[in-house]
């Protein structure tokens, strides 16, 4: 679940804070932490942020900023809980390594030795090992999104859903060939822990981490606890607080915790407790990314996978000759970050409502640097690097070999044409790096106008040419961090015959609406999966999938790090004059093929026998009327405007009425044969 979310716009809210323990309120460390946390709340869209610092088992600093809820005077405290998103993977990694310590598991034996019902439509799956799942090198496509991200609900069939999804998939690369972020791998590890321990994954976490560590505020969605202990969370398209952010893939992203509880788990990851051996803790810090194709070798990077860790060489700590390991987490509503310094047994944890794991990592980095200076471990904090505009030089003609089409898993294909030593590059890295011009500066490198981003072309041993980006990103008020990654790979354009071209041209700009999501699904409220496809008919691609006939496209990209994550095949079919789409482990219907909702006063609709949702377009006569729906138990309905923004979702607002927008559409969600009684006025 490590998708990159854009930083939200700042919101104006009342601020509160508390900091205690070994630091005086006016100490430099306290002031630094308070200043950065205040910046996160006032400038980076965080409703609240919580942070804590530990040194050799002693909590040195614990504080927070912001408010528990925008409409409440309740303060944020050290016991306020947050979803930690993909930081949950470190709990799964610790659980796996505990089983290694107990002799129940060999990381380099085939996974099928332990979970015999794991199968894929690709014989290479038998080569996948637990190590490959931990370091993201299994070759598995990425994320089975269906019914994973829910509001205040649990999918009890999540593990079987993922196993069923994987049975239909082929691998995108040979196991162990390279590492690319893979959520489903950690669901497989969750299943592995349950099978080898003889208890549910949540029970294992409770008995092997929470109970021995005294974690009073660490829970999973399957646990019974007071949900009001969770900080309230918000999104821009809805004014009120949202229901509980629930991720049923617990090993991937479902843990709830606090900064102080996270620190205790970090002590386990450092090997300083009896719960995990020092040998296993050190093994988790190995530079696993070096085992395969990677865009950097030895240099610091925000991405440098270990076993579970996003980075085992986080900048800027290498400039102090200090190893730092980092793990970030981003769910829809909550964000988290943990950083450890193994040489000194020092760790920091940050959790927030809103924002992003990247900016939370900047808070953690700032706290650690200030503390290292206070202890005398470092003399001074190294200032951010200063860049100057690049000097353009004559480009050799040989660089023109890199002109062509480049594709990534979750973006529109881009046509790169180097003109007079310049590249016009669209935005990359989820928008953190804006669209801009890069000029040739020699030795195969192109630089942005401010000098902070360097592009190059890297033809790897697998024969694939990648666009490589190395960027020092500046976050005002927070600091600077280094990100090196492959943005996309060069692909051969596909000539489509007229019939195939016409079929895909008709899909350009069309919306495809989910049919198989539970009534509580967050996918129905936020665009985790875009309704429009990134179709490039001219070159024959849908994002990173290659069009092979009128109704199918198969994944064609093999990109290490992150831009090659969450790949999928697409399959269309027709039924009852409507077009359907299957991708990931979900089914969709073309919005244009759905009927108009009945504009009379009274009507009803029934969920289909196969459980598919019912979707309707809002016709001219029905527009601007108010709909009232009598909902079956545990069902929902949602209304969208013409821009695909959800303007009303009964799961979120608890309302059974809504105004129908002009040119909008409406969906009804429940179980097979559920009947919805509808009134329009």
């Amino acid at each position: 679940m490590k998708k990159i979310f854009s930083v939200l716009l700042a919101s104006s809210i009342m601020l509160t804070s508390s900091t205690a323990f070994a630091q005086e309120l006016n100490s430099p460390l306290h002031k630094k932490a308070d200043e950065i946390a205040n910046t996160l709340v006032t400038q980076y869209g965080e409703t609240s942020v919580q942070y804590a610092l530990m040194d050799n088992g002693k909590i040195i600093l614990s504080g927070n900023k912001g408010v528990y809820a925008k409409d409440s005077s309740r303060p944020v405290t050290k016991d306020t809980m947050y979803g930690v998103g993909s930081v949950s993977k470190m709990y799964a990694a610790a659980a796996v390594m505990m089983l290694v310590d107990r002799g129940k598991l060999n990381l380099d034996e085939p996974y099928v030795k332990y979970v015999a019902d794991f199968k894929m439509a690709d014989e290479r799956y038998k080569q996948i090992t637990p190590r490959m799942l931990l370091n993201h090198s299994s070759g598995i496509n990425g994320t089975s999104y269906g019914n994973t991200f829910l509001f205040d609900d649990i999918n009890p069939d999540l593990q079987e859903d993922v196993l069923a999804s994987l049975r239909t998939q082929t691998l995108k690369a040979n196991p162990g060939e390279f590492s690319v972020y893979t959520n489903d791998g950690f669901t497989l590890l969750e299943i592995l822990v349950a099978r080898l321990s003889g208890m549910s994954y949540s029970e294992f976490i409770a008995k092997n981490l929470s109970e021995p560590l005294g974690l009073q505020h660490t829970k999973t969605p399957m646990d019974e606890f007071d949900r009001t202990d969770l900080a309230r969370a918000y999104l821009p398209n809805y004014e009120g607080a949202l229901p509980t952010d629930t991720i049923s893939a617990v090993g991937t992203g479902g843990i709830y915790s606090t900064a102080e509880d996270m620190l205790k788990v970090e002590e386990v990851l450092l090997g300083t407790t009896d719960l995990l051996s020092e040998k296993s803790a050190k093994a988790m810090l190995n530079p696993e990314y070096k085992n395969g194709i990677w865009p950097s070798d030895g240099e610091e990077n925000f991405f440098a996978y270990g076993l579970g860790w996003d980075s085992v060489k986080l900048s800027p700590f290498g400039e102090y000759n200090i190893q730092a390991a980092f793990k970030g987490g981003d769910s829809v509503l909550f964000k988290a970050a943990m950083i450890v310094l193994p040489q000194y047994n020092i760790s920091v944890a940050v959790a927030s409502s809103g924002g992003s794991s990247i900016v939370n990592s900047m808070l953690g980095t700032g706290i650690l640097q200030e503390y290292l200076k206070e202890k005398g471990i470092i003399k001074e904090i190294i200032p951010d690097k200063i860049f100057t505009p690049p000097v353009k030089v004559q480009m050799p003609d040989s660089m023109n070999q890199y002109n062509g089409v480049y594709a990534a898993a979750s973006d529109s294909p881009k046509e790169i044409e180097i003109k007079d030593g310049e590249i016009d590059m669209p935005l990359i890295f989820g928008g953190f790096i804006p669209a801009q011009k890069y000029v040739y500066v020699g030795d195969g490198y192109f630089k942005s106008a401010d000098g902070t981003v360097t592009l190059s072309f890297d033809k790897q041993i697998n024969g694939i040419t990648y666009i490589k980006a190395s960027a020092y990103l500046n976050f005002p008020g927070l600091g600077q961090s280094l990100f090196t990654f492959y943005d996309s790979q060069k692909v051969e354009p596909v000539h489509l015959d007229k019939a195939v071209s016409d079929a895909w041209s008709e899909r350009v700009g069309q919306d495809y609406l989910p049919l198989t999501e539970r009534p509580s699904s967050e996918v129905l409220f936020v665009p985790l999966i875009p309704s429009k496809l990134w179709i490039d008919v001219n070159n024959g691609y849908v994002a990173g999938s290659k069009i092979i006939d009128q109704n199918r496209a198969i994944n064609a990209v093999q990109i290490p790090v992150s831009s090659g994550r969450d790949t999928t095949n697409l399959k269309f079919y027709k039924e009852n004059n409507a077009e359907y789409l299957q991708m990931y482990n979900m089914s969709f219907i073309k919005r244009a093929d759905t009927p108009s909702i009945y504009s009379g006063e009274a009507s009803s609709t029934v969920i289909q026998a196969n459980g598919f949702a019912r979707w309707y377009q809002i016709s001219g006569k029905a527009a601007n009327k108010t709909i009232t729906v009598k909902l079956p138990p545990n069902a929902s309905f949602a209304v969208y405007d013409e821009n695909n923004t959800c303007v009303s979702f009964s799961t979120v607002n608890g309302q059974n009425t809504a105004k129908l927008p002009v040119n909008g559409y409406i969906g009804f969600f429940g179980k097979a044969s559920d009947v919805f009684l509808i009134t329009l006025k």
Side-chain angles (χ1 to χ4, degrees), residues 250-325:
V250 181
T252 290
I255 298 286
Y256 305 112
S257 193
T258 64
E260 289 191 14
D261 271 14
M262 288 166 64
L263 288 179
K264 295 177 183 178
V265 174
E266 289 176 73
E267 287 290 292
V268 175
L269 298 171
L270 287 167
T272 60
T273 72
D274 294 333
L275 300 181
L276 188 68
S277 69
E278 184 178 353
K279 178 182 178 182
S280 287
K282 286 184 176 179
M284 295 172 73
L285 293 164
N286 286 338
E288 294 283 321
Y289 64 95
K290 290 186 177 182
N291 294 338
I293 298 168
W294 198 255
S296 61
D297 184 17
E299 62 195 68
E300 289 188 308
N301 193 3
F302 195 84
F303 306 110
Y305 297 144
L307 295 179
W309 294 107
D310 287 345
S311 179
V312 294
K313 295 180 72 68
L314 184 68
S315 67
F317 295 97
E319 297 188 51
Y320 306 108
N321 294 315
I322 297 173
Q323 182 185 21

Side-chain angles (χ1 to χ4, degrees), residues 311-575:
S311 179
V312 294
K313 295 180 72 68
L314 184 68
S315 67
F317 295 97
E319 297 188 51
Y320 306 108
N321 294 315
I322 297 173
Q323 182 185 21
F326 160 76
K327 183 72 189 84
D330 294 88
S331 70
V332 173
L333 303 180
F334 294 117
K335 321 295 174 178
M338 59 165 56
I339 306 173
V340 300
L341 307 181
Q343 294 160 260
Y344 299 99
N345 290 336
I346 297 172
S347 56
V348 69
V350 181
S352 68
S353 168
S356 77
S357 63
I358 291 178
V359 297
N360 283 352
S361 76
M362 302 303 292
L363 170 57
T365 295
I367 289 173
L368 285 170
Q369 288 184 106
E370 190 66 40
Y371 186 59
L372 292 172
K373 179 182 175 183
E374 180 179 289
K375 283 180 67 83
I377 295 174
I378 63 176
K379 291 183 178 180
E380 295 293 338
I381 295 174
I382 297 172
D384 290 343
K385 295 184 182 301
I386 298 174
F387 296 87
T388 58
V391 177
K392 182 179 175 182
V393 302
Q394 183 68 33
M395 187 187 78
D397 291 341
S398 60
M399 293 301 297
N400 289 317
Q401 67 179 299
Y402 299 114
N403 289 334
V405 179
Y406 289 77
S410 300
D411 201 357
S412 298
K414 54 176 74 81
E415 293 190 41
I416 299 299
E417 183 178 5
I418 308 172
K419 293 182 178 179
D420 189 29
E422 297 181 355
I423 301 174
D424 282 319
M425 180 71 72
L427 61 82
I428 59 177
F429 196 40
F432 279 100
I433 301 175
Q436 57 190 313
K437 182 176 290 185
Y438 297 80
V439 300
Y440 188 72
V441 296
D443 297 324
Y445 295 106
F446 298 79
K447 284 191 176 291
S448 60
D450 63 2
T452 61
V453 185
T454 302
L455 297 184
S456 59
F457 297 91
D458 186 4
K459 186 171 184 178
Q460 270 287 354
I461 58 174
N462 58 1
I464 295 174
T465 297
Y466 299 99
I467 295 177
K468 176 181 173 180
S470 186
Y472 282 91
L473 296 188
N474 294 301
F475 299 89
L478 304 179
Q480 185 184 76
S481 193
L482 173 62
F483 300 79
T484 300
F485 57 95
Y486 288 137
D487 166 73
S488 50
Q489 77 173 59
K490 193 174 185 181
V491 295
E492 288 299 319
V494 180
H495 173 72
L496 305 179
D497 63 34
K498 186 176 187 306
V500 175
S501 178
D502 288 348
W504 285 91
S505 293
E506 290 179 4
R507 295 170 182 139
V508 174
Q510 296 292 325
D511 294 312
Y512 289 85
L513 310 177
L515 292 165
T516 49
E517 287 298 282
R518 293 167 71 92
S520 56
S521 175
E522 293 179 353
V523 170
L524 303 174
F525 190 66
V526 292
L528 291 175
I529 300 171
S531 62
K532 288 181 172 61
L533 302 173
W534 290 296
I535 300 174
D536 180 352
V537 176
N538 291 333
N539 294 302
Y541 286 86
V542 187
S545 297
K546 178 180 178 180
I547 296 172
I548 60 172
D549 60 29
Q550 293 182 29
N551 294 312
R552 291 182 299 158
I554 59 173
N555 173 59
V557 296
Q558 299 182 23
I559 309 173
V561 190
S562 184
S563 294
R565 63 175 288 179
D566 298 341
T567 53
T568 186
N569 297 338
L570 297 89
K571 180 181 178 181
F572 292 88
Y573 66 94
K574 287 269 191 175
E575 192 173 286

Side-chain angles (χ1 to χ4, degrees), residues 86 88-92 186-187 190 201 248-255:
S86 284
S88 303
K89 290 180 173 66
M90 296 312 302
Y91 296 67
F186 279 79
T187 297
E190 174 185 334
Y201 180 75
S248 297
V250 181
T252 290
I255 298 286

Side-chain angles (χ1 to χ4, degrees), residues 122-195:
D122 186 324
E123 284 299 302
R124 292 176 294 174
Y125 83 93
K126 296 175 183 177
Q127 303 170 29
I128 295 172
T129 65
R131 179 184 300 277
M132 295 173 187
L133 300 175
L134 284 167
N135 66 23
H136 300 286
S137 69
S138 65
I140 290 172
N141 286 322
T143 304
S144 297
Y145 279 104
N147 293 310
T148 297
F149 306 93
L150 308 175
F151 283 123
D152 202 19
D153 186 21
I154 297 168
N155 176 8
D157 302 319
L158 186 283
Q159 292 181 0
E160 181 51 44
D161 287 351
V162 171
L163 288 173
S165 175
L166 291 171
R167 290 183 195 115
T168 68
Q169 297 179 25
T170 57
L171 295 173
K172 62 186 170 190
N174 291 322
E177 185 175 357
F178 60 81
S179 293
V180 55
Y181 204 83
T182 310
N183 280 324
D184 281 352
F186 279 79
T187 297
L188 290 177
L189 292 172
E190 174 185 334
I191 294 169
L192 175 66
V193 170
R195 298 287 178 87

